[in-house]
Amino acid sequence: MEMIIQLISGAVGGNAAGAGLKKFSMGPIGNTIAGLVGGYGGGALLGGSVGEGAVGQVASGGIGGIVLMVVAGVVKNMMAKD
């Protein structure tokens, strides 16, 4: 169940970051995929340090989704300039 929470919150975080940071957005599908991967990774890395239970899973998944979406957007922008 924790993994599902992390994936969903990562996808939401990735799309929210894409909506707020248009420069790094990769479109809805790209933001969702980056958010899913980041949510899972963020949940695994930050799960216990952010908080206990579902709130911690949502927070860590969302943070991971945002971070990975922005990193992927930066890399995409750098590659497009070449």
Side-chain angles (χ1 to χ4, degrees):
M1 188 66 175
E2 291 178 355
M3 184 171 76
I4 293 170
I5 295 170
Q6 293 166 356
L7 291 171
I8 291 171
S9 59
V12 170
N15 280 294
L21 303 168
K22 300 277 186 202
K23 181 178 178 181
F24 303 117
S25 180
M26 299 177 295
I29 294 173
N31 293 342
T32 300
I33 292 170
L36 286 168
V37 174
Y40 180 71
L45 293 173
L46 301 173
S49 63
V50 175
E52 294 286 326
V55 174
Q57 296 301 319
V58 169
S60 61
I63 291 168
I66 291 168
V67 169
L68 189 62
M69 194 287 303
V70 171
V71 168
V74 168
V75 170
K76 181 190 121 203
N77 288 346
M78 289 174 64
M79 292 177 67
K81 289 182 182 178
D82 288 341

